[in-house]
Amino acid sequence: MKSLAFVLPIYNEQDNIPVLYERLRGVADGLADRFTCEFVFVDDGSRDRSLALLRELRERDDRVSVYALARNKGHQIAVTAGIDVADADAVIVMDSDLQDPPEVAVDLVAAWEDGADVAYAKRRTREDGFFKRSSAGFFYWTLSKLARIEIPRDTGDFRLMDRRVVEELRRYPERNRFLRGMVAEIGFEQRAVEFDRSARHAGTTGYPLGKMLKLAADGILGFSSFPLRLISAIGMILAVGAGVWTVYLAISRLVNPESVVEGWTFLAAGMFLLGGIQMLMLGVLGQYIGRIYEEVQGRPLYAFKVADHGRRS
Ligand code: UDP
Ligand code: MG
């Protein structure tokens, strides 16, 4: 028998927990002939009755594990904690508000059995409001243009990961976490499984605008150096433009001295030239900072897909 662990971050989900648990149980029962299941609930500092409800479930069902963070640390950290403690052949991460239908896990497991190391659930449709849909659309479009790796679009953190991917993920020590990017960066065989995303079952979103922007920044800054390169590019354009302009001004001063005000050429040209050079130098600093940033992220350099050595002397 192989083991599956469901990682479920919980932040003020008291009205979703009972339904979620029932539907998870249905899924687990359906898979029971081939898999043992564990439900790893990670309470992310909820202020409602969520933790109490989880402890009741824990009493009734020994497939349930309950972990509670000492305070609210945010979704990505809660999921990380769950992944760190889960001990299974495959880990399935999903939202706890039933936006990620537990039944889709069956399809994820099928993809895994078919050889995929990561099966990520891709939204065919979604029932979120206009703002959420358009901002998410814009974000994924930007990310796909900027990121140096391919991060699947219309995909949240709902995915199944084989144990070896989970072990790689645990080697990523960075603090500003954008898990879907990190999983994409790891590699192995990743496969999309399409599904229709529902609306939140009950309660309100734990992702207000501020948290959404933070996540978007983690995605773009963590996986792209475009903002840094932009500084150099603007500096370069400014400096070269100012250089050409200076030459033009100097020539027109010589050819037709009356055309310009005394002293103006020097001031105007100097200003643009200096501005451009400064920006160019900022870009140079940026390149170094970018490298420091990458070093500090401390990501693993590679992961082996095959590590099969012959006899060693
Ligand atoms: N969540 C969390 N900590 C937070 C915010 C959210 O653990 O600080 C959990 C939440 O309980 C849910 C998942 O993360 O299981 C996704 O959050 P939510 O549904 O509120 O986000 P949305 O779907 O609106 O983007
Ligand atoms: Mg949600």
Side-chain angles (χ1 to χ4, degrees):
M1 288 267 262
K2 287 199 163 188
S3 55
L4 290 175
F6 292 82
V7 168
L8 306 144
I10 302 278
Y11 181 58
N12 298 342
E13 305 283 11
Q14 61 181 10
D15 298 324
N16 293 320
I17 289 171
V19 194
L20 173 68
Y21 171 68
E22 283 312 319
R23 285 177 60 181
L24 279 172
R25 224 176 52 168
V27 170
D29 290 347
L31 294 167
D33 52 333
R34 286 170 298 144
F35 301 98
T36 58
C37 292
E38 183 191 1
F39 309 127
V40 180
F41 289 97
V42 182
D43 176 65
D44 185 19
S46 297
R47 293 165 203 279
D48 62 357
R49 290 192 5 89
S50 294
L51 183 55
L53 288 175
L54 293 177
R55 298 188 113 145
E56 275 169 34
L57 290 182
R58 172 79 192 84
E59 293 292 310
R60 282 195 273 137
D61 186 343
D62 65 4
R63 287 174 300 183
V64 171
S65 312
V66 178
Y67 294 85
L69 303 187
R71 73 172 178 83
N72 179 251
K73 283 286 200 169
H75 171 235
Q76 298 286 301
I77 305 292
V79 171
T80 301
I83 290 172
D84 283 345
V85 298
D87 178 27
D89 295 312
V91 170
I92 300 173
V93 176
M94 62 169 77
D95 284 359
S96 308
D97 56 357
L98 296 159
Q99 283 202 283
D100 299 337
E103 294 71 27
V104 175
V106 176
D107 301 337
L108 299 181
V109 170
W112 175 49
E113 286 188 295
D114 192 46
D117 298 291
V118 173
Y120 58 87
K122 192 175 163 72
R123 302 184 267 258
R124 188 167 26 209
T125 58
R126 64 190 294 179
E127 287 182 29
D128 287 304
F130 173 75
F131 177 71
K132 183 94 182 182
R133 268 182 299 143
S134 46
S135 59
F138 175 69
F139 168 67
Y140 282 110
W141 179 81
T142 313
L143 191 64
S144 69
K145 292 277 173 267
L146 300 189
R148 60 176 169 270
I149 50 165
E150 202 177 315
I151 299 173
R153 286 165 91 153
D154 300 321
T155 306
D157 287 312
F158 188 13
R159 50 166 55 66
L160 175 148
M161 290 174 280
D162 184 84
R163 186 194 282 279
R164 58 183 182 164
V165 177
V166 171
E167 274 165 12
E168 288 303 326
L169 196 55
R170 290 188 188 136
R171 294 173 62 206
Y172 281 65
E174 60 204 80
R175 308 181 65 85
N176 295 300
R177 298 175 82 77
F178 186 66
L179 287 166
R180 54 202 86 157
M182 289 154 60
V183 173
E185 166 130 338
I186 288 172
F188 293 110
E189 201 200 316
Q190 312 217 357
R191 203 178 297 171
V193 171
E194 294 207 326
F195 79 113
D196 298 301
R197 187 158 158 102
S198 329
R200 171 173 262 280
H201 173 71
T204 49
T205 176
Y207 260 103
L209 189 62
K211 279 187 185 175
M212 249 161 69
L213 290 176
K214 159 84 170 89
L215 185 71
D218 287 341
I220 289 172
L221 298 179
F223 293 90
S224 160
S225 53
F226 177 77
L228 277 179
R229 281 184 279 121
L230 195 62
I231 303 178
S232 316
I234 294 176
M236 183 65 96
I237 292 169
L238 212 60
V240 170
V244 172
W245 194 51
T246 307
V247 173
Y248 164 76
L249 285 181
I251 292 173
S252 53
R253 185 97 173 81
L254 290 176
V255 174
N256 185 5
E258 280 82 52
S259 69
V260 274
V261 185
E262 187 83 20
W264 182 81
T265 315
F266 177 72
L267 278 179
M271 191 180 79
F272 281 99
L273 205 56
L274 263 182
I277 291 171
Q278 273 178 349
M279 198 126 185
L280 206 59
M281 291 303 138
L282 272 185
V284 174
L285 285 184
Q287 295 302 324
Y288 280 94
I289 293 174
R291 280 165 181 257
I292 295 171
Y293 177 55
E294 270 177 32
E295 296 291 344
V296 173
Q297 277 178 317
R299 289 182 185 163
L301 294 177
Y302 52 80
F304 283 126
K305 186 155 79 180
V306 175
D308 186 9
H309 56 80
R311 186 162 4 115
R312 283 185 175 151
S313 52

